[in-house]
Amino acid sequence: MEVLREKVEEEEEAEREEAAERAERAEKTMRPVEVRTEEAPLTPEMLRDLEKKLSEIETPASEEPPVITKDTIDISSLPLSYKTNTPKEEHLLQVADDFSRQYSHLCPDRVPLFLYPLNECEVPKFVSTTIRPTLLPYPDLYNWDGCAQFVSDFLTMVPLPNPLRPLVKRRERALSKKYTVKPPRDLSSKFEQEQEIKKQREIRAQEQKRLREEEERLLEAEKAKPDPLHGLRVHSWVLVLSGKREVPETFFIDPLTARSYSTQDDRFLGIESIWNHKNYWINMQDCWNCCKDLVFDLGDPVRWEFMLLGTDKPKLSLTEEDDNGMNDEDDVENLGKEDEDKSFDVPHSWVEQIEISPEAFETRCPNGKKVIQYKRAKLEKWAPYLNSNGLVCRLTTYEDLEWTETLEVKEWYQNREDRLELKHINKTTGLNIDYFKPGHPQALRVHSYKSMQPEMDRVMEFYETTRVDGLMKREETATTMTEHYQGRPDFLSYRHITFGPRVKKLALKSAESNPRPIVKITERFLRNSAKPADEDVAERVFLIGEERIQLRYHCRDDHITASKREYLRRTEVDSKGNKIIMTPDMCISFEVEPMEHTKKLLYQYQDMMHLKNEEKVSRHLAWESELEVLEILKLREEEEEAHTLTVSIYDTRRNEKSKEYRETMERVMHEEQLQQVEAQLDYLAPFLAQLPPGEKLTHWQAVCLKDECLSDFKQRLIDKANLIQARFEKETQELQKKQQWYQENQVTLTPEDEDLYLSYCSQAVFRIRILEQRLNRHKELAPLKYLALEKKLYKDPRLVELLKVFA
Amino acid sequence: MNHLHDSMEPRVMDDDMLKLAVGEQGPQEEAGQLAKQEGILFKDVLSLQLDFQNILRIDNLWQFENLRKLQLDNNIIERIEGLENLTHLVWLDLSFNNIEAIEGLDTLVNLEDLSLFSNRISKIDALDALVKLQVLSLGNNQISNMMNIIYLRQFKYLRTLSLSGNPISEAEDYKMFICAYLPDLVYLDFRRISDDTKELAEAKHQYGIDELKHRESLMQARLEDEQARREELQKHKAAFVEHLNGSFLFDSMYTEDVEGKKLSYLPGVSELLEAYKDKFVIICLNIFEYGLKQHEKRKTELDTFNECVHEAIQENQEQGKHRIAKFEEKYLLSLNTIREESEVPTIEKKIMECGEDITELFNALMTLEMQLVEQLEETINLFERNIIDLVGLFIENVQSLMAQCRDLENHHHEKLLEISINTLEKNVKGELDEDLPDDVRLVSALFVDKDTIINAVGASHDIHLLKIDNREDELVTRINSWCTHLVDKIHRDETTRNRERVKEISQYVDHMQSELDNLEYGDILD
């Protein structure tokens, strides 16, 4: 079955999305889509309700009223095709109506057909025309499973009133039941097998059986009473026919759950009719054995009564048909047999092409949030970036059916900067396990803990390849710390530290400054093949309190005993008060093959000194490990606090930097454009405005226009020159006045005033010079500008023809 | 350069000098006290410095078998000698001496750094054993021939070379030549060689280098060829069928057969001989192929056996290790309780218990070992039977093939005899002389009478048979001795293994027991 699921026609996906977005349009498949209407009460309202059901989730037995995020459709903004029927559609509706009447006449016992429901604008539309095959640009939607998942995510279920007895919720409950019931016979057979295997097991099995029976009984009790609406419920779903896109077997898809079902499934009781965007078929086969015996050969007119003698009627064939749209052979055949009048094409769909924006696609569910409720479990989904802490999915399992006792919570995160991927909280044991993706600043992979306080039970696993020290795992209990390493050049693979009770210091500062005393450090090393086994330490134990160091060496390949050595590194003083450096009893050793040089005190002394240093190093490392734990815990707390999210550099929408950059670019572009527009100011516009609009220019008018424009420009140039001249003169006069004033009052002036005067003078001179320059420049440029404008006017598209003739 | 010492008496490297040096250069402070107390064995010394001692002759160093670094600079040594035992030597300094030739370094395969600075050496030579050589200092010597550089090409790890102060360093092309011919060199005369220089040098000497490389590669190819041939022959020898993949045996039959060669000139004999050779070679080839196949079979048999034995031993060892680990765990706990216990009777009881544990461990380990011995014995016997069967089958088949060879020979002999007699008859009748070529005339000495010719043919036949017999005997003897040796070795190995294990177990148990006794003793003292 898995294989089958893989591919379905593209159109199907397309339809699905459409179906998702527009509630009324049921389902369409390029391949046949079927809707089964199993039930009788057939008012149009009912039908609409049924359709609506697709877009709304029924929340089974939930206490609070379901939040219905129903889009109120603004009818006025819809295109005309939604509000009216074309003559062809009218004709089609008529055909459908005839068909329906004939059908109810011939099959009075059967449910009336679902042929032309009202759309959102209360206009009847033939169902096939509600389908418009569309290919969307998302690879996820190319195959049926991704597509179905999207549709099911997009739909929200809302409970319907009971059509028989209003306001009964039973039927929804029945719907949700589908997922939970286990077939009990499986269990009993298992039990029987077990019973036969062993006598001892039998007792256990019996116990189990009893328990299971109990469970079963409970299950039975939980199970709803026999459904009074059994077999009366109408539902619509998607049928995917085998053949195209390597679909080997026909199957159903339930749009609400996005699951596929075999046509043999017991829960599909029968099919009334099916349709796609081209035709409508009525099932004429007996559904006494659910859908198991149905033959899905739509070309067989005995089994499937078609409504339209369409061009796309699937071949009646034994082989797998591959009817890509048209099938000419069939057409000819059909045309020969039947009246030509009857053949009628379904008009093009009146529905607008579906469009799903990337945002909507990413958001998936309405408002980006969706809750699916299972028996004893609840699954919540959110769109990425919707929650500020990156939460995208949460699965809560409960002990009981009422959802009061939480068993465990699993939370999935996405795009977290701290690379947190999954948080697993076991409520009964209080154990939290955090899983991280590669890339945490401390290379954390898994962190399981009951409390964030240090020196408690805790296991941290790391991505050892990203750590310099090759640490793989660090386990802690209240008094020990165990570290596992891998791939170290010193072959260390294991370090176990036992702490003693903390000594209370008078000058207490904090846990950091008063580390727990280390009682024992055990280190194990892997075999270093470069050394002989007798010199390669396998395990060394520093008994710090007892001042002892125990060494165990690796075992030789062909031996079963390994060398051992123990140093008592007590410093003692002999009878004369001299310090004893080394005596034979300070080293007890067992050597597999006694060596000469190791008996030497010198060797032993050097070895012991070396080990003393090593002990110091190990103690320091142990202390560093403790610090690191504190650091990680602190970091984790900070991360939880901040829960920053990362944005991919390819995500142009969310990436602030790229957004800024883009906006700047846009602004610059815009400004450039403005400048360009300015540069292309229309000189003629004010003059053209004076002329009566809409009339063609005459030659005379054109000449006038040109002259006027030029003279105007000339005037403006002169004005500008005059203006500069005026300013120049004014500036000069003022300067002269000032100079005069200065000469008159020179004697009485304070130094400050003099400074002011001087600075004014220099500025004024500067201004005058600039004005002079501008004037000169203007004088130089003015004739050129004039000529340029003249040239331009001669080339102006509005004048060019007229001026040329007589030019 | 050693004028300073010229005035002094040359000194002899005697025990006193060495001891003094070792003591001075050995561990200091606390460790030094210990060292003094115990004395230092020469073989534990890793580094020794004997400079400015006016030493004339290197001597008495044979005990320093673990020496890594030896400094003998600034003496008046004239010959490199007495260093044969110092195979771990990595660093050897013989600078500022009076050495005239490089010698006596053939065993120092680990040497990486050799200094012969300021000596009287005129030729770079006798360094072939120093495959790890990285640094070579030969400055201030009398090397005058540039071709000495070529000799250094064989040292793949040579990175540092100093040759300044030699006559060759006066040469105009000195640096370029060395850079070109020793492209892996990094430092020359204490200076880093720049990449530019290398490129330049390479370009300059390209022609010479290419030619040299070509010669070297030819030599290399020849060596490899030879090696491959040797290996091939070795393989054939291991299968006991060497030289049977051709006409070698046939040819050898005729190399010593003077008569046969003469007879081959008789009319019709050469054709006969040709056919005979073909058939004979085919049989030889059969033997060869069969031999290789059988060899493979024996090898597989042996491998399977070894694997099985290895696995059995491994498993047994694991069990033993497990036992010991369990025992030690318990023993450690008991020891701790004994240490903490104050009641003498309880202590005694505990110690008793420990003693019992040790005995139990001993028994368990010995039982395991006995089991293994039995298992292995059975397997070894089975293998022995199988391999002897295989060898027997091989011998039998080879013998039957060899018998075919003999048949061929007999057949050939008869034919030859017939031809010979015919020819003799013709000769007697005088019909022969005219149409026989000159070669045959040489043979005519044989055609005196019937006995002579029969004797000649018979002698040839005997030689041939002898050759075949010899080859067969050789094969059979060798394979039999191989088989005996193999079986012996397996038995011997197993016995050794068993003894080693028993020794190991008792040693361990003794150790534990004595530890326990000590504890007892210590406790009583307390």
Side-chain angles (χ1 to χ4, degrees):
Chain A
M1 203 55 196
E2 281 302 319
V3 187
L4 327 181
R5 286 179 199 179
E6 290 199 2
K7 290 183 178 184
V8 182
E9 304 97 290
E10 325 137 30
E11 289 92 335
E12 201 203 340
E13 320 148 5
E15 323 152 15
R16 302 201 132 246
E17 285 121 40
E18 210 169 322
E21 209 155 85
R22 323 216 159 239
E24 329 100 81
R25 279 161 254 153
E27 274 88 81
K28 27 169 163 177
T29 26
M30 152 110 215
R31 267 6 225 9
V33 175
E34 17 176 318
V35 172
R36 158 176 81 148
T37 42
E38 261 193 19
E39 220 227 305
L42 233 235
T43 61
E45 294 87 53
M46 182 55 214
L47 287 170
R48 234 175 323 141
D49 276 352
L50 280 171
E51 292 162 331
K52 251 181 211 159
K53 195 167 70 170
L54 288 174
S55 63
E56 294 157 0
I57 287 187
E58 315 174 53
T59 23
S62 71
E63 317 274 295
E64 57 206 307
V67 189
I68 302 172
T69 51
K70 194 164 114 187
D71 305 303
T72 41
I73 302 160
D74 181 12
I75 297 173
S76 59
S77 68
L78 292 173
L80 205 62
S81 67
Y82 282 62
K83 297 170 191 164
T84 55
N85 275 324
T86 60
K88 203 172 177 192
E89 281 177 310
E90 289 289 358
H91 184 198
L92 181 66
L93 283 174
Q94 221 170 340
V95 171
D97 198 36
D98 284 352
F99 185 75
S100 163
R101 252 181 286 150
Q102 277 182 38
Y103 173 75
S104 54
H105 177 68
L106 292 172
C107 311
D109 300 339
R110 288 185 64 171
V111 177
L113 295 174
F114 181 70
L115 273 172
Y116 40 84
L118 299 181
N119 72 357
E120 51 268 71
C121 304
E122 305 285 317
V123 177
K125 292 280 182 185
F126 182 57
V127 282
S128 290
T129 59
T130 60
I131 301 172
R132 178 166 177 167
T134 315
L135 181 61
L136 284 155
Y138 303 106
D140 280 356
L141 299 180
Y142 187 68
N143 285 331
W144 76 264
D145 38 5
C147 181
Q149 192 57 52
F150 178 74
V151 173
S152 92
D153 282 347
F154 208 92
L155 297 183
T156 313
M157 274 202 274
V158 190
L160 288 176
N162 187 322
L164 300 180
R165 266 158 282 147
L167 270 176
V168 176
K169 284 193 172 177
R170 237 175 298 159
R171 72 145 97 177
E172 299 120 35
R173 238 198 310 153
L175 256 180
S176 73
K177 271 289 100 77
K178 269 199 283 199
Y179 318 114
T180 53
V181 179
K182 297 176 200 161
R185 47 169 194 227
D186 246 5
L187 305 173
S188 63
S189 78
K190 232 183 229 170
F191 155 65
E192 297 224 349
Q193 277 176 352
E194 277 171 15
Q195 191 186 37
E196 281 169 29
I197 294 166
K198 261 192 180 180
K199 266 207 167 183
Q200 264 203 338
R201 262 197 202 169
E202 200 175 314
I203 304 160
R204 224 183 329 150
Q206 251 167 3
E207 184 73 13
Q208 242 169 5
K209 189 189 166 194
R210 214 164 43 78
L211 282 173
R212 277 180 202 199
E213 272 172 356
E214 184 76 8
E215 206 176 290
E216 229 169 89
R217 205 177 47 74
L218 281 175
L219 268 180
E220 204 63 38
E222 282 167 20
K223 221 194 253 175
K225 308 283 173 289
D227 187 0
L229 287 178
H230 185 78
L232 298 176
R233 204 164 289 113
V234 184
H235 186 41
S236 45
W237 65 90
V238 180
L239 167 71
V240 181
L241 287 187
S242 61
K244 272 196 191 171
R245 283 194 44 191
E246 297 168 32
V247 177
E249 225 174 281
T250 303
F251 64 97
F252 298 137
I253 303 170
D254 178 21
L256 293 177
T257 59
R259 285 190 210 179
S260 72
Y261 295 93
S262 156
T263 52
Q264 308 291 311
D265 199 289
D266 282 334
R267 281 166 289 194
F268 294 86
L269 300 176
I271 294 177
E272 285 295 330
S273 56
I274 62 178
W275 75 82
N276 66 4
H277 63 295
K278 286 180 179 161
N279 209 341
Y280 191 99
W281 293 266
I282 297 160
N283 178 23
M284 302 307 283
Q285 299 168 75
D286 198 346
C287 293
W288 65 272
N289 194 11
C290 303
C291 300
K292 286 174 192 169
D293 295 337
L294 292 190
V295 177
F296 292 96
D297 180 5
L298 297 179
D300 185 348
V302 179
R303 295 193 168 104
W304 295 97
E305 184 71 44
F306 52 86
M307 190 187 102
L308 299 170
L309 186 62
T311 47
D312 65 326
K313 194 184 78 168
K315 256 193 279 186
L316 164 60
S317 61
L318 299 172
T319 57
E320 290 293 294
E321 67 253 74
D322 188 23
D323 56 331
N324 229 333
M326 312 254 163
N327 197 318
D328 294 331
E329 235 184 311
D330 256 330
D331 291 353
V332 174
E333 230 176 281
N334 289 335
L335 287 172
K337 275 185 208 160
E338 315 259 346
D339 292 356
E340 285 197 0
D341 308 358
K342 279 195 182 176
S343 85
F344 186 84
D345 276 348
V346 174
H348 192 261
S349 175
W350 50 276
V351 172
E352 275 201 314
Q353 185 147 357
I354 196 162
E355 263 171 31
I356 304 177
S357 62
E359 287 88 350
F361 182 66
E362 201 185 69
T363 312
R364 290 189 89 99
C365 317
N367 296 334
K369 188 186 171 187
K370 180 158 180 148
V371 182
I372 304 170
Q373 285 154 335
Y374 295 94
K375 192 170 116 185
R376 295 200 178 105
K378 186 165 78 175
L379 181 69
E380 293 159 278
K381 289 189 198 171
W382 291 271
Y385 295 105
L386 186 72
N387 288 320
S388 63
N389 62 355
L391 185 66
V392 291
C393 187
R394 180 196 285 146
L395 175 67
T396 321
T397 46
Y398 299 94
E399 170 101 64
D400 53 351
L401 290 171
E402 285 77 38
W403 297 358
T404 50
E405 295 291 313
T406 313
L407 271 183
E408 50 173 43
V409 180
K410 276 187 179 181
E411 291 178 338
W412 284 267
Y413 294 85
Q414 251 176 38
N415 306 310
R416 296 259 308 204
E417 202 173 64
D418 58 5
R419 314 295 287 154
L420 181 67
E421 193 180 21
L422 167 64
K423 213 181 232 291
H424 186 164
I425 305 160
N426 192 327
K427 291 283 185 188
T428 43
T429 59
L431 186 69
N432 289 17
I433 307 175
D434 296 353
Y435 296 87
F436 296 84
K437 282 191 216 164
H440 186 268
Q442 294 275 12
L444 211 54
R445 173 158 61 192
V446 181
H447 180 201
S448 68
Y449 56 96
K450 285 183 177 172
S451 144
M452 285 300 272
Q453 288 302 308
E455 295 167 24
M456 303 280 272
D457 286 4
R458 145 184 353 276
V459 180
M460 286 180 185
E461 284 175 44
F462 298 90
Y463 289 96
E464 73 273 5
T465 44
T466 47
R467 281 188 66 109
V468 182
D469 59 0
L471 181 65
M472 236 176 14
K473 193 172 168 187
R474 178 183 289 137
E475 293 166 284
E476 280 179 277
T477 67
T479 57
T480 65
M481 180 187 280
T482 314
E483 293 172 322
H484 300 265
Y485 294 91
Q486 202 173 50
R488 283 173 63 108
D490 62 357
F491 296 92
L492 180 71
S493 68
Y494 170 94
R495 178 183 290 133
H496 180 89
I497 304 151
T498 315
F499 297 100
R502 178 170 274 128
V503 184
K504 282 204 176 147
K505 276 188 190 168
L506 289 176
L508 261 186
K509 281 164 228 157
S510 68
E512 278 172 58
S513 61
N514 183 20
R516 293 171 290 175
I518 296 169
V519 175
K520 183 178 159 189
I521 300 176
T522 309
E523 289 174 326
R524 288 187 195 143
F525 298 84
L526 298 175
R527 179 88 177 86
N528 175 4
S529 45
K531 285 185 187 173
D534 288 340
E535 289 169 28
D536 191 13
V537 177
E539 184 185 74
R540 62 183 188 202
V541 183
F542 299 110
L543 292 157
I544 290 155
E546 299 173 43
E547 295 199 304
R548 274 198 297 168
I549 301 168
Q550 292 171 335
L551 297 181
R552 190 169 53 79
Y553 291 85
H554 277 284
C555 200
R556 290 191 194 186
D557 278 347
D558 49 352
H559 280 65
I560 54 172
T561 56
S563 301
K564 283 187 292 188
R565 192 162 289 148
E566 182 169 348
Y567 290 105
L568 296 162
R569 50 173 211 83
R570 256 167 257 161
T571 38
E572 280 169 18
V573 175
D574 68 5
S575 51
K576 289 172 196 161
N578 293 328
K579 193 178 153 203
I580 296 175
I581 303 163
M582 187 81 203
T583 53
D585 61 347
M586 281 166 79
C587 172
I588 305 164
S589 56
F590 165 70
E591 282 171 17
V592 173
E593 191 172 307
M595 307 281 270
E596 211 177 311
H597 71 281
T598 57
K599 285 226 170 55
K600 288 264 187 182
L601 282 179
L602 179 62
Y603 172 85
Q604 292 172 358
Y605 173 77
Q606 280 168 343
D607 198 22
M608 194 168 84
M609 287 302 131
H610 169 71
L611 284 168
K612 267 182 166 175
N613 278 333
E614 290 288 301
E615 182 183 312
K616 244 180 246 167
V617 172
S618 291
R619 279 165 68 171
H620 182 75
L621 288 174
W623 175 72
E624 275 188 349
S625 291
E626 275 193 281
L627 279 192
E628 194 190 87
V629 171
L630 290 177
E631 199 183 319
I632 292 175
L633 289 178
K634 202 171 136 217
L635 181 69
R636 282 295 304 130
E637 254 161 33
E638 279 167 14
E639 282 167 351
E640 280 300 320
E641 191 80 18
H643 51 70
T644 328
L645 298 185
T646 57
V647 177
S648 157
I649 54 160
Y650 302 107
D651 191 340
T652 47
R653 204 155 42 80
R654 290 204 183 79
N655 200 317
E656 284 301 323
K657 256 191 210 164
S658 85
K659 198 174 169 184
E660 251 171 52
Y661 175 73
R662 206 178 55 239
E663 276 170 3
T664 335
M665 288 300 286
E666 270 167 16
R667 207 167 46 237
V668 170
M669 287 273 284
H670 185 66
E671 275 165 14
E672 268 175 19
Q673 227 167 8
L674 277 181
Q675 276 175 0
Q676 242 174 349
V677 170
E678 213 170 342
Q680 288 172 350
L681 269 183
D682 189 356
Y683 290 97
L684 282 177
F687 306 101
L688 279 171
Q690 292 166 12
L691 298 172
E695 279 179 36
K696 252 196 143 192
L697 287 176
T698 62
H699 170 63
W700 182 78
Q701 272 173 327
V703 174
C704 277
L705 204 61
K706 184 201 78 178
D707 289 345
E708 258 180 70
C709 185
L710 281 177
S711 65
D712 183 69
F713 186 61
K714 199 172 172 184
Q715 193 55 50
R716 271 174 53 207
L717 287 174
I718 294 165
D719 285 351
K720 197 175 173 186
N722 286 339
L723 197 66
I724 299 170
Q725 180 74 32
R727 280 195 195 149
F728 175 75
E729 277 163 10
K730 193 181 156 206
E731 210 51 75
T732 323
Q733 272 173 11
E734 265 178 37
L735 182 65
Q736 276 171 356
K737 267 186 206 164
K738 202 87 179 172
Q739 276 170 341
Q740 218 171 345
W741 169 82
Y742 176 72
Q743 273 165 4
E744 281 164 10
N745 301 303
Q746 198 173 4
V747 195
T748 57
L749 276 180
T750 60
E752 288 91 43
D753 286 338
E754 209 169 312
D755 280 350
L756 270 175
Y757 166 75
L758 286 175
S759 71
Y760 167 78
C761 275
S762 67
Q763 275 178 19
V765 169
F766 173 75
R767 279 198 297 271
I768 290 167
R769 207 178 325 128
I770 292 292
L771 284 170
E772 202 180 347
Q773 274 178 8
R774 280 181 65 188
L775 189 60
N776 286 338
R777 198 175 130 79
H778 184 69
K779 278 178 186 162
E780 261 173 48
L781 287 179
L784 294 176
K785 277 185 183 168
Y786 182 83
L787 286 176
L789 180 65
E790 194 176 21
K791 216 172 174 184
K792 203 171 168 189
L793 286 175
Y794 271 115
K795 279 183 185 164
D796 191 289
R798 287 160 295 190
L799 303 178
V800 68
E801 285 304 313
L802 297 163
L803 293 178
K804 211 194 269 173
V805 183
F806 299 93
Chain B
M1 51 221 60
N2 298 320
H3 307 290
L4 248 174
H5 307 286
D6 283 349
S7 51
M8 286 166 64
E9 269 302 285
R11 286 182 62 189
V12 182
M13 284 177 76
D14 52 13
D15 243 24
D16 294 339
M17 182 202 260
L18 292 172
K19 265 188 188 152
L20 189 70
V22 166
E24 273 175 5
Q25 293 157 30
Q28 304 299 318
E29 293 172 31
E30 295 188 341
Q33 289 181 34
L34 286 175
K36 222 181 219 171
Q37 202 178 314
E38 288 182 315
I40 300 171
L41 288 180
F42 284 172
K43 68 171 184 178
D44 292 339
V45 176
L46 297 181
S47 151
L48 187 62
Q49 192 178 349
L50 290 168
D51 49 352
F52 297 104
Q53 301 282 346
N54 223 25
I55 296 166
L56 179 62
R57 188 155 177 261
I58 307 170
D59 205 356
N60 269 329
L61 285 176
W62 57 272
Q63 286 186 76
F64 292 85
E65 52 193 40
N66 285 309
L67 205 61
R68 299 282 191 278
K69 182 173 173 180
L70 176 61
Q71 281 167 275
L72 283 167
D73 53 304
N74 292 290
N75 286 295
I76 49 170
I77 297 163
E78 286 172 357
R79 272 171 65 96
I80 307 174
E81 58 189 336
L83 300 175
E84 295 79 14
N85 256 8
L86 279 51
T87 49
H88 290 103
L89 213 56
V90 175
W91 212 93
L92 177 61
D93 190 349
L94 284 166
S95 53
F96 299 100
N97 279 295
N98 299 331
I99 298 162
E100 286 180 359
I102 303 174
E103 58 188 330
L105 298 173
D106 296 337
T107 55
L108 308 185
V109 288
N110 288 307
L111 204 63
E112 288 172 7
D113 189 322
L114 175 62
S115 177
L116 289 165
F117 193 83
S118 207
N119 278 290
R120 297 170 188 168
I121 295 162
S122 54
K123 187 165 187 259
I124 308 177
D125 199 3
L127 291 170
D128 303 60
L130 279 50
V131 285
K132 293 184 184 171
L133 196 65
Q134 292 175 8
V135 180
L136 180 60
S137 171
L138 277 167
N140 277 1
N141 276 291
Q142 286 153 20
I143 299 161
S144 53
N145 191 344
M146 202 65 105
M147 285 308 124
N148 278 304
I149 304 301
I150 309 287
Y151 175 78
L152 294 175
R153 275 175 74 83
Q154 59 178 302
F155 302 105
K156 291 197 181 62
Y157 303 105
L158 187 67
R159 297 290 177 270
T160 307
L161 178 66
S162 75
L163 278 170
S164 61
N166 281 291
I168 49 165
S169 64
E170 305 297 318
E172 189 188 341
D173 197 26
Y174 164 72
K175 195 170 172 187
M176 285 295 163
F177 188 86
I178 291 177
C179 294
Y181 281 89
L182 300 174
D184 290 334
L185 210 61
V186 182
Y187 298 97
L188 175 63
D189 296 333
F190 315 110
R191 284 183 188 201
R192 197 185 159 89
I193 303 170
S194 70
D195 290 347
D196 294 346
T197 317
K198 268 188 194 173
E199 269 168 39
L200 215 66
E202 206 173 312
K204 200 170 170 192
H205 289 273
Q206 181 139 26
Y207 183 71
I209 293 171
D210 284 351
E211 201 185 307
L212 190 65
K213 273 189 184 159
H214 179 65
R215 256 190 318 209
E216 279 173 353
S217 69
L218 278 185
M219 183 84 83
Q220 186 66 25
R222 210 163 48 232
L223 281 177
E224 275 167 16
D225 260 15
E226 216 163 278
Q227 181 71 16
R229 262 205 307 280
R230 260 204 305 278
E231 273 167 19
E232 183 83 1
L233 185 63
Q234 208 54 43
K235 212 176 120 196
H236 296 167
K237 270 191 178 159
F240 312 108
V241 289
E242 74 277 9
H243 301 314
L244 285 177
N245 53 340
S247 60
F248 183 85
L249 178 60
F250 186 84
D251 293 344
S252 79
M253 290 185 339
Y254 277 88
T255 43
E256 291 165 31
D257 179 11
V258 190
E259 314 291 334
K261 263 183 222 160
K262 285 181 189 165
L263 287 168
S264 65
Y265 296 117
L266 293 181
V269 173
S270 67
E271 290 84 33
L272 191 66
L273 208 57
E274 203 62 39
Y276 172 41
K277 184 176 175 179
D278 284 350
K279 283 183 190 162
F280 193 90
V281 168
I282 285 169
I283 295 173
C284 281
L285 278 176
N286 277 343
I287 299 176
F288 178 76
E289 292 294 331
Y290 180 65
L292 287 187
K293 242 184 255 163
Q294 284 293 309
H295 175 63
E296 208 51 49
K297 246 185 174 173
R298 287 193 299 271
K299 203 167 153 259
T300 321
E301 187 78 20
L302 185 61
D303 287 348
T304 330
F305 166 73
N306 280 336
E307 197 183 328
C308 158
V309 168
H310 181 74
E311 268 172 24
I313 293 176
Q314 280 299 318
E315 202 194 316
N316 192 280
Q317 277 180 6
E318 282 312 312
Q319 282 179 20
K321 278 182 196 170
H322 182 65
R323 277 259 172 204
I324 290 173
K326 253 171 54 184
F327 162 77
E328 279 189 356
E329 204 178 313
K330 196 179 163 195
Y331 182 74
L332 218 62
L333 276 177
S334 311
L335 274 193
N336 279 340
T337 41
I338 291 172
R339 284 204 182 101
E340 282 159 20
E341 192 59 63
S342 51
E343 294 282 319
V344 177
T346 341
I347 291 176
E348 274 173 2
K349 202 180 138 223
K350 283 271 175 195
I351 287 175
M352 277 273 278
E353 272 174 28
C354 280
E356 275 163 24
D357 282 348
I358 292 172
T359 324
E360 194 191 318
L361 175 75
F362 177 74
N363 288 339
L365 291 178
M366 287 310 273
T367 317
L368 270 179
E369 175 56 20
M370 286 322 292
Q371 272 173 17
L372 183 63
V373 167
E374 270 167 33
Q375 284 171 338
L376 290 185
E377 201 174 281
E378 211 168 295
T379 321
I380 290 170
N381 286 338
L382 184 68
F383 171 73
E384 195 177 333
R385 274 201 300 281
N386 286 346
I387 200 84
I388 287 174
D389 283 356
L390 265 181
V391 168
L393 182 73
F394 177 61
I395 291 175
E396 208 172 284
N397 281 324
V398 167
Q399 276 171 341
S400 86
L401 284 168
M402 285 295 194
Q404 282 180 31
C405 287
R406 268 185 221 106
D407 285 351
L408 275 182
E409 172 59 29
N410 289 336
H411 183 70
H412 176 73
H413 170 67
E414 278 165 26
K415 283 269 172 88
L416 187 63
L417 199 60
E418 202 180 306
I419 291 175
S420 303
I421 291 171
N422 281 345
T423 319
L424 177 70
E425 277 167 7
K426 278 185 191 165
N427 195 24
V428 170
K429 285 175 192 166
E431 293 166 6
L432 204 62
D433 285 9
E434 293 136 40
D435 42 340
L436 266 186
D438 289 349
D439 309 345
V440 185
R441 283 174 214 283
L442 293 171
V443 193
S444 57
L446 293 171
F447 297 100
V448 181
D449 56 32
K450 201 172 176 181
D451 284 349
T452 322
I453 192 78
I454 287 174
N455 280 345
V457 174
S460 165
H461 180 53
D462 287 348
I463 287 175
H464 295 173
L465 284 182
L466 185 70
K467 281 282 170 188
I468 294 171
D469 287 352
N470 281 349
R471 185 67 189 88
E472 189 184 322
D473 286 351
E474 190 202 336
L475 188 147
V476 171
T477 325
R478 267 175 53 206
I479 194 168
N480 275 330
S481 91
W482 171 81
C483 184
T484 330
H485 275 113
L486 179 69
V487 172
D488 274 0
K489 186 173 176 295
I490 287 170
H491 280 294
R492 218 172 34 243
D493 284 355
E494 165 56 14
T495 321
T496 324
R497 191 202 61 76
N498 171 246
R499 283 183 190 152
E500 285 287 322
R501 177 56 43 82
V502 172
K503 192 178 130 203
E504 190 191 349
I505 293 170
S506 36
Q507 198 180 324
Y508 181 76
V509 167
D510 285 353
H511 172 79
M512 294 321 275
Q513 190 66 52
S514 76
E515 207 179 277
L516 190 68
D517 292 347
N518 277 341
L519 191 74
E520 215 170 335
Y521 183 60
D523 268 333
I524 290 164
L525 271 189
D526 284 345

